[in-house]
Amino acid sequence: MPGEKAVETTGAAAGDKAPGEQSGGRRAADGSAPAKKAAARKPPVKKSPARETAAGEAPARKASARKAPAKKAPAKRVAGEKAATAAKAVVRKPESRTALVRRARRIDRELAEIYPYAHPELDFVDPFQLIVATVLSAQTTDLRVNQTTPGLFAKYPTPEDLAAADPEEVEEILRPTGFFRAKTKSVIGLSKALVEEFGGEVPGRLEDLVKLPGVGRKTAFVVLGNAFGRPGITVDTHFQRLVRRWQWTEQTEPDKIEAEIAALFPKSEWTMLSHHVIFHGRRICHARKPACGACPLAPLCPAYGEGETDPEKAKKLLKYEKGGFPGQRLNPPQSYLDAGGRPAPPLGAG
């Protein structure tokens, strides 16, 4: 029948097509279905980058979640860091002259409360002993000088005695202080000048003191402030370091530092200011690793963070008389002993 032949022809035609054509025919006839299957098969491939991204993000989130506890700091540290941030925020602003003066004087008031027993840390009983001890303190510690001078003054108690001393014998006594040959020359020359020019007495004027062998402005102000009660600023290494950290000055030369700091404080406060700053530099605000986390001045200090900020670790850096550490002097003032300070040991005892 015509209709049946047509059907057969169509079927034959379809059956005679090559496998590739059949596949194409099926794709054409069933276009939507294979597309859906392809779509069903392809998503895993297409989603694999997505999974990789998700997989990459998930560990990141997990890692972040794991790291979070490590970032949590002790409450004391957090409080200290907040205080430091606040302090830095204040000092980073342009500071007027008035604001600088107020901040500097507030720091000194705080220091006076921390170290009410601050004092010169060289043992002496008269101006002669003080000027000699101060000359010997160059390039060494006050402690080592205090351990050495008892033997020196026992043998040469006056300028006349030291002026006539045998240099080799003096060198042997001063050997523990370092640079003992140069120091021997200085103290013998100093003694001769006192005998020849000032009748064996230490002068009480700056212009006279700085003419003596081995005596500069720093030594002169130590003597004037502590032996004669005349105000002076002692710009030693501790003083220089701290006043720059506190941004009281940007000067690096001692004379210029002295002039700028003197302008911030009344003259009557200069001597005790020097003691306060030097005490703090020796006990808390060290040169290499200041104990920032245990420093009472942290909220006022622009340099907070230069040293250890963890409170517990910072406490271990303190060299503090109230913590049982000995001072520099073998014979310290009674006020220092009353505050819990301990005398330094004599030479050879530790």
Side-chain angles (χ1 to χ4, degrees):
M1 295 175 61
E4 290 174 356
K5 288 180 180 179
V7 172
E8 289 174 1
T9 303
T10 304
D16 292 340
K17 285 185 179 179
E21 292 175 340
Q22 289 179 7
S23 174
R26 283 194 299 272
R27 284 197 298 270
D30 304 326
S32 59
K36 291 178 181 177
K37 290 181 180 178
R41 288 194 301 271
K42 288 180 181 179
V45 178
K46 290 180 179 179
K47 286 182 180 178
S48 60
R51 283 201 306 272
E52 290 174 4
T53 303
E57 291 174 352
R61 286 194 295 270
K62 289 180 181 178
S64 175
R66 287 195 301 269
K67 289 179 181 178
K71 290 181 179 178
K72 290 181 179 179
K76 289 183 180 179
R77 191 190 311 172
V78 172
E81 289 174 353
K82 287 182 179 179
T85 302
K88 285 185 177 182
V90 172
V91 299
R92 282 177 181 170
K93 296 178 181 179
E95 192 172 36
S96 68
R97 177 69 181 178
T98 301
L100 171 60
V101 171
R102 287 175 178 170
R103 183 169 62 85
R105 294 184 182 183
R106 182 179 173 188
I107 287 176
D108 186 43
R109 289 196 299 272
E110 294 285 340
L111 290 174
E113 293 183 7
I114 301 167
Y115 310 109
Y117 43 79
H119 56 271
E121 294 195 273
L122 288 169
D123 281 323
F124 70 98
V125 296
D126 56 40
F128 172 63
Q129 289 192 3
L130 180 57
I131 196 169
V132 170
T134 307
V135 169
L136 296 178
S137 69
Q139 305 298 318
T140 191
T141 63
D142 287 357
L143 170 59
R144 184 48 57 96
V145 173
N146 292 335
Q147 291 173 328
T148 305
T149 52
L152 179 70
F153 295 136
K155 192 167 186 178
Y156 310 106
T158 68
E160 290 81 3
D161 294 325
L162 192 52
D166 181 345
E168 291 186 0
E169 293 181 1
V170 177
E171 285 178 5
E172 194 58 34
I173 295 173
L174 300 184
R175 187 181 293 272
T177 67
F179 303 97
F180 57 92
R181 290 190 178 89
K183 291 180 179 180
T184 295
K185 185 177 180 180
S186 292
V187 297
I188 290 179
L190 165 66
S191 299
K192 287 180 177 178
L194 291 176
V195 172
E196 294 171 2
E197 299 178 27
F198 299 99
E201 298 292 333
V202 177
R205 299 194 311 164
L206 176 64
E207 54 268 33
D208 293 331
L209 286 169
V210 295
K211 293 177 183 178
L212 298 171
V215 177
R217 290 180 68 87
K218 183 193 85 170
T219 299
F221 281 128
V222 169
V223 174
L224 288 173
N226 298 289
F228 292 99
R230 297 175 183 172
I233 293 178
T234 304
V235 185
D236 72 348
T237 55
H238 300 291
F239 193 93
Q240 292 184 51
R241 179 176 72 254
L242 268 63
V243 297
R244 286 176 57 80
R245 279 180 176 170
W246 294 332
Q247 296 182 4
W248 290 2
T249 180
E250 294 181 355
Q251 300 294 337
T252 57
E253 297 178 18
D255 291 359
K256 293 181 179 179
I257 291 174
E258 176 199 322
E260 289 203 357
I261 303 308
L264 298 176
F265 295 89
K267 190 173 182 179
S268 60
E269 297 180 11
W270 289 354
T271 300
M272 286 310 299
L273 168 70
S274 300
H275 294 325
H276 294 154
V277 175
I278 293 170
F279 254 61
H280 193 65
R282 285 177 171 164
R283 288 152 176 77
I284 296 179
C285 197
H286 313 306
R288 295 183 180 178
K289 200 170 185 181
C292 294
C295 180
L297 300 180
L300 299 171
C301 183
Y304 179 91
E306 286 188 12
E308 179 58 64
T309 57
D310 181 271
E312 296 304 318
K313 292 180 180 178
K315 284 181 183 179
K316 297 178 181 179
L317 301 174
L318 298 178
K319 297 177 182 178
Y320 202 39
E321 44 275 338
K322 290 184 179 178
F325 288 90
Q328 303 280 301
R329 294 183 65 164
L330 279 67
N331 300 297
Q334 188 60 45
S335 60
Y336 178 79
L337 298 174
D338 292 342
R342 290 166 47 194
L347 189 64

